[in-house]
Amino acid sequence: MRVPLSWLREYVDVAADATPEDVLAAMVSVGFEEEDVHRFELQGPIVVGQVVSLEPEPQSNGKTINWCQVDVGEEHGGVRGIVCGAHNFTAGDKVVVTLPGAVLPGPFPIAARKTYGHVSDGMIASARELGLGDEHNGIVVLSDLDLDAPVGTDAIALLGLDDVAVDVNVTPDRGYAFSVRGIAREYSHATGAEFRDPAERDFAELQPGAGHTAIVDDTAPVRGKVGASEFVTRVVRGVDPSRPTPPWMIARLSLAGMRSLGVLIDITNYVMLEIGQPLHGYDLDKLAGGITVRRATPGEKMTTLDGQERVLHVEDLLITDESGPIGLAGVMGGGTTEMSETTSNVLIEAATFDPVTIARTARRHKLPSEASKRFERGVDPLVPFVAARRAADLMVELAGGTLTDEGGALFAEVFVADIELPTGFVQGLIGVDYTDAEITGALRTIGAEVTDSDAGWTVIPPTWRPDLTDKWSLAEEVARIHGLDRIPSVLPTPPSGRGLTVLQQGRRRVANALAAAGLVETPSFPFTTDAQNDLHGSPSGEHVPSIRLANALDGAAPFLRRSLVPGLLQIAHRNISRGLTDLALFETGVVFLPEPGVEYGTAEVPPLGVRPSDETLAALNASIPPQHRHVAVLLTGNVVARQPGRAAEAAGLSEALDAVRVIGEAAGVTIDVAQSQRAALHPGRTGVLTVGDVEVGYVGELHPDVAADADLPGRATVVELDLDGILALAGEKPIAASLSTFPAATQDVSLVVGADVPAGDVSAALVEGAGALLESVRLVDDYRGEGMAEGSKSLTFALRFRAEDRTLTAAEATEAKLAGVAVAAERFGAVIRD
């Protein structure tokens, strides 16, 4: 809210020597934020001059200029010759002259210069050049503004251009501060200066008369609240819209961020800024019958003041007459009844509209306005009568109108709920030992009524503060009025037993371990296509159910992902297209796995501002598909770059399995791999990942067609695991076993098995047969070359044996090895290779 200081001083005592910075500091002390200081970008000398003579001089370009002699006063050089292209003045007129050395908005410095065969010793200024509006058809003639002043008078002060405005940031809960009245009140709170309320007037003079009472016919109120609870009209006849807006009003409107649009509209804007009550003026002669406030009907249209035809929604609140809609209530008026240069009789409207209705209409039509900004935050319901009378008085004073006894008033009793404020509550919440007198004094200062009660006080907030709804907001007001600097800065002691859950700790361990292993975490959007969900979210590639978004960010990817792999493929493609070809990426994120036959998203969404019941929350939760957190890895390019003496090493399944082992160790589980098939992966280069008997994910090389579709130039290997699933399988925290002090016994064994027998199954058989003495088993060779029978292979395992209580003999190690071989022979027909 931008408030000119001259305007602010009308309603609160601001010290004569107070700077704009002083005013902003005072506002900050009561909880507002300072924004800026606004001034007219003018620098003198700019003075009143009188045209002594003017000589029209036609030019070769078809333009006629006036060579003028202008008296600017002896102290400014007497009579000066000035070239002027305007023609709306004559000899004897008093004008505004910018002398050499002056600077106009732009900045536009003024200097004596030769033009049209003369040396123009200054410039006669127009309203636009001075920053007083958009009028540029002619120069400023003081008599047109009902002004007169001696020659040589400072025109900056005469026109109010020496004023300055402070800009205060108004938060959404303080709509009352969108007015000079509200800012003046808050300045009074901050400094103790006397506040004079512009809304305090004799109620008898505020009565609008009769003959134009509006009808409210709201058959579909939003949240049960009628769209208009108050509607005041007043009629002013015989106005002259051609009269100029006084310079002081134009200056104040300009500093407040509004441009001058003619005296009638300027008056309604001025009163809105002053009191905080939006107004609208209708050309009374264009109205057809009485005014009715109602909701729009399906398919109804209207043209607003900006010339746009708008298709209305059934929630939109309309101002109508017998011809149809003439205004979007609280947002913008209609074009059919707007005030214009032919208006002679004005109907002034001041109303109280439902904030929710106005906010929805403004957002629905993308039509924010100064009026809607105030209505949606809440307007004081006691000021429409005052605002309507204030606007009518100004139209009489400035536009030559006559205030009639015509008008109307539709209003309801204003009820403000009281709030119980217990003794000691404010001190306990804020942490400051306020006295009872300080608490009640602060609340009465902001305009609340405070009475004693058994538990403390009963407080009725003022009508202009709809944000005060509970004891917590009252406590905030006490702290604000007495200074936020009184609140001690004390760090709270965190309660014991809080922190990350076991699941959260596990997720972080896995992500940190992958990052430490050299992979880069790359979060992606959870949106994809139905085809990608089928390909990567199902082992067979068959169609699986997916959740489609009602309002997707990207129409080409409207489904929630069932797998993290599509996102990693997009990220890999983006990096490769930028020359980064060696990639090791991972992501931890949520996937959405709807169950077949179950409809999701069908629960009714509860309204805003109302706490949902437990049943509603349960229905909402039931309408959400299962969401599992997965971890996925993608490797492509080289794991070791080519370098002198060493060839490049491509990333492949070996590195992918290393990533699986990193995840398993961080999660505290052992993840096994066995050969399998998957639609998106290369046949024969795909593995299923299990923890015990539970399948937790897959690993494999992307099918060449899938890699080509993703624009990946070479091979790519992927891993995807159910992260929450493996963390749940990890159970309690693992306890590290003690290290044995006895030496290990190592042996190798080569077993011949069928080519289709998985090496992992043979390894598991060796572990089972060898028993507790076998400390580790590792596959070191898979041979299928010369000397091997067709359909067979030789698997060589490195075995390490160790006992906790003694040094093993070679015979004991051999016995355990042969026991493992016996189990492999029984299950797979394995024989020791000679």
Side-chain angles (χ1 to χ4, degrees):
M1 176 67 188
R2 292 162 55 166
V3 181
L5 291 190
S6 66
W7 206 349
L8 184 66
R9 285 188 168 98
E10 289 187 9
Y11 302 116
V12 67
D13 291 336
V14 180
D17 59 348
T19 65
E21 290 72 20
D22 294 335
V23 175
L24 287 174
M27 299 306 297
V28 169
S29 71
V30 286
F32 288 86
E33 295 181 6
E34 62 177 281
E35 287 287 338
D36 204 352
V37 175
H38 299 273
R39 296 178 171 89
F40 288 101
E41 299 177 2
L42 292 171
Q43 178 180 319
I46 302 176
V47 301
V48 174
Q50 186 169 28
V51 180
V52 176
S53 65
L54 71 161
E55 298 178 12
E57 296 183 357
Q59 304 297 311
S60 58
N61 59 5
K63 181 178 180 180
T64 299
I65 61 96
N66 290 310
W67 171 237
C68 307
Q69 299 298 313
V70 184
D71 183 7
V72 294
E74 291 300 326
E75 64 274 28
H76 297 293
V79 177
R80 293 175 179 251
I82 299 176
V83 173
C84 184
H87 301 281
N88 65 318
F89 64 102
T90 62
D93 283 342
K94 289 184 177 180
V95 295
V96 176
V97 181
T98 58
L99 300 176
V103 179
L104 297 179
F108 178 46
I110 303 299
R113 64 189 183 94
K114 187 173 182 179
T115 179
Y116 294 109
H118 300 281
V119 175
S120 184
D121 198 14
M123 185 179 78
I124 305 175
S126 69
R128 188 169 71 180
E129 290 164 341
L130 293 170
L132 276 174
D134 294 332
E135 179 61 43
H136 196 59
N137 294 328
I139 63 169
V140 173
V141 178
L142 295 189
S143 60
D144 291 342
L145 301 177
D146 293 330
L147 291 177
D148 192 12
V151 169
T153 300
D154 181 7
I156 293 179
L158 178 68
L159 299 175
L161 301 178
D162 57 347
D163 204 355
V164 59
V166 293
D167 195 351
V168 178
N169 181 30
V170 178
T171 53
D173 59 331
R174 296 195 188 174
Y176 68 94
F178 272 119
S179 65
V180 177
R181 179 194 186 208
I183 297 297
R185 189 189 303 276
E186 289 298 330
Y187 184 82
S188 172
H189 297 341
T191 63
E194 182 183 357
F195 169 66
R196 297 173 290 279
D197 191 349
E200 284 189 3
R201 295 188 63 165
D202 184 3
F203 190 71
E205 67 178 4
L206 301 179
Q207 299 307 303
H212 293 279
T213 301
I215 298 172
V216 177
D217 182 20
D218 188 358
T219 58
V222 175
R223 297 184 188 174
K225 192 168 184 179
V226 175
S229 58
E230 194 168 0
F231 203 98
V232 178
T233 59
R234 300 204 75 126
V235 174
V236 180
R237 294 188 178 273
V239 297
D240 181 3
S242 65
R243 283 198 179 186
T245 303
W248 58 265
M249 179 177 284
I250 296 177
R252 288 181 175 182
L253 290 175
S254 179
L255 283 174
M258 304 187 78
R259 59 192 180 95
S260 176
L261 297 173
V263 65
L264 299 180
I265 298 175
D266 288 349
I267 287 171
T268 58
N269 287 337
Y270 185 85
V271 175
M272 176 185 68
L273 293 173
E274 183 175 70
I275 299 179
Q277 170 67 53
L279 300 171
H280 187 69
Y282 301 92
D283 187 325
L284 181 61
D285 298 326
K286 296 178 182 178
L287 286 174
I291 291 178
T292 300
V293 183
R294 62 170 174 83
R295 302 283 172 175
T297 58
E300 195 168 13
K301 300 178 181 180
M302 74 164 290
T303 301
T304 47
L305 284 173
D306 57 1
Q308 298 294 317
E309 183 180 64
R310 303 182 184 275
V311 179
L312 305 175
H313 187 276
V314 292
E315 275 192 2
D316 290 338
L317 191 68
L318 304 179
I319 310 299
T320 68
D321 63 5
E322 293 179 1
S323 67
I326 58 174
L328 267 176
V331 178
M332 185 175 285
T336 59
T337 58
E338 68 175 316
M339 296 183 293
S340 66
E341 63 277 0
T342 63
T343 298
S344 60
N345 302 309
V346 177
L347 178 75
I348 301 169
E349 165 211 305
T352 300
F353 297 118
D354 171 40
V356 174
T357 294
I358 303 308
R360 289 185 179 181
T361 295
R363 284 157 178 76
R364 184 181 299 118
H365 295 284
K366 297 180 176 59
L367 194 60
S369 64
E370 291 293 329
S372 66
K373 183 168 64 176
R374 288 163 173 79
F375 277 124
E376 65 189 24
R377 288 166 170 80
V379 172
D380 186 354
L382 296 185
V383 299
F385 285 88
V386 178
R389 178 57 191 261
R390 172 69 165 148
D393 290 344
L394 287 175
M395 287 186 183
V396 170
E397 177 185 352
L398 304 179
T402 301
L403 179 61
T404 70
D405 58 0
E406 300 172 77
L410 176 70
F411 58 94
E413 181 180 358
V414 177
F415 173 77
V416 180
D418 57 53
I419 303 170
E420 290 298 323
L421 183 63
T423 302
F425 175 78
V426 175
Q427 296 91 330
L429 181 67
I430 305 300
V432 177
D433 292 330
Y434 298 112
T435 65
D436 290 351
E438 284 181 314
I439 294 173
T440 57
L443 296 177
R444 291 189 175 103
T445 294
I446 66 171
E449 296 181 17
V450 184
T451 56
D452 294 337
S453 66
D454 294 338
W457 301 280
T458 299
V459 181
I460 301 177
T463 55
W464 58 85
R465 294 296 304 273
D467 57 306
L468 302 181
T469 57
D470 49 43
K471 57 185 178 181
W472 290 275
S473 55
L474 294 179
E476 180 183 346
E477 288 301 297
V478 174
R480 188 174 68 85
I481 295 301
H482 287 298
L484 300 178
D485 56 332
R486 287 184 60 180
I487 302 175
S489 179
V490 180
L491 290 176
T493 302
S496 60
R498 302 290 177 88
L500 298 177
T501 65
V502 174
L503 197 60
Q504 290 170 332
Q505 292 174 359
R507 294 169 181 169
R508 290 199 177 184
R509 282 200 310 272
V510 169
N512 291 339
L514 288 171
L519 284 81
V520 178
E521 186 172 11
T522 55
S524 61
F525 286 116
F527 313 124
T528 188
T529 64
D530 199 22
Q532 288 289 314
N533 270 343
D534 292 344
L535 180 61
H536 296 282
S538 168
S540 62
E542 63 185 6
H543 180 68
V544 288
S546 298
I547 297 296
R548 186 185 184 99
L549 296 172
N551 187 20
L553 289 177
D554 183 357
F559 291 91
L560 291 174
R561 65 188 177 191
R562 292 183 62 97
S563 167
L564 300 180
V565 172
L568 289 176
L569 291 176
Q570 290 182 353
I571 293 170
H573 167 65
R574 188 177 303 114
N575 281 271
I576 290 172
S577 69
R578 286 160 174 75
L580 304 175
T581 57
D582 300 332
L583 302 174
L585 312 176
F586 81 95
E587 178 181 4
T588 61
V590 172
V591 298
F592 305 84
L593 306 175
E595 299 174 359
V598 179
E599 292 188 12
Y600 296 98
T602 57
E604 182 178 351
V605 178
L608 298 174
V610 178
R611 187 187 187 282
S613 65
D614 293 341
E615 294 77 12
T616 301
L617 292 175
L620 288 171
N621 288 329
S623 69
I624 299 174
Q627 302 177 39
H628 296 238
R629 187 170 294 273
H630 281 198
V631 57
V633 173
L634 183 145
L635 306 170
T636 188
N638 294 326
V639 67
V640 176
R642 189 180 69 176
Q643 51 195 291
R646 185 173 182 180
E649 296 179 17
L653 278 173
S654 177
E655 287 71 30
L657 290 172
D658 284 342
V660 172
R661 281 189 285 272
V662 169
I663 294 170
E665 290 174 0
V669 297
T670 299
I671 301 176
D672 300 317
V673 59
Q675 195 169 33
S676 68
Q677 298 291 325
R678 198 170 181 91
L681 303 184
H682 194 296
R685 299 176 186 171
T686 302
V688 62
L689 303 175
T690 58
V691 175
D693 297 329
V694 180
E695 181 178 335
V696 293
Y698 62 88
V699 60
E701 182 182 309
L702 278 180
H703 193 287
D705 292 341
V706 176
D709 289 342
D711 293 326
L712 302 185
R715 294 181 176 181
T717 309
V718 296
V719 175
E720 185 162 18
L721 288 158
D722 183 350
L723 180 56
D724 286 347
I726 63 174
L727 291 174
L729 292 170
E732 298 295 329
K733 292 182 179 179
I735 300 175
S738 60
L739 297 176
S740 174
T741 59
F742 297 96
T746 59
Q747 294 190 15
D748 291 344
V749 62
S750 296
L751 299 178
V752 178
V753 296
D756 59 343
V757 176
D761 291 348
V762 178
S763 176
L766 289 172
V767 171
E768 182 179 339
L773 293 179
L774 181 61
E775 187 176 76
S776 73
V777 56
R778 182 167 55 89
L779 178 67
V780 295
D781 188 36
D782 182 340
Y783 180 71
R784 310 186 188 205
E786 185 179 352
M788 296 301 301
E790 185 176 353
S792 64
K793 62 184 177 182
S794 172
L795 301 177
T796 300
F797 296 91
L799 310 175
R800 186 170 70 237
F801 300 92
R802 195 193 308 266
E804 295 182 356
D805 56 351
R806 67 189 187 281
T807 300
L808 288 177
T809 65
E812 288 177 310
T814 300
E815 181 181 356
K817 177 185 73 173
L818 293 176
V821 171
V823 174
E826 178 184 351
R827 293 182 180 176
F828 310 111
V831 296
I832 297 178
R833 181 184 176 192
D834 296 333

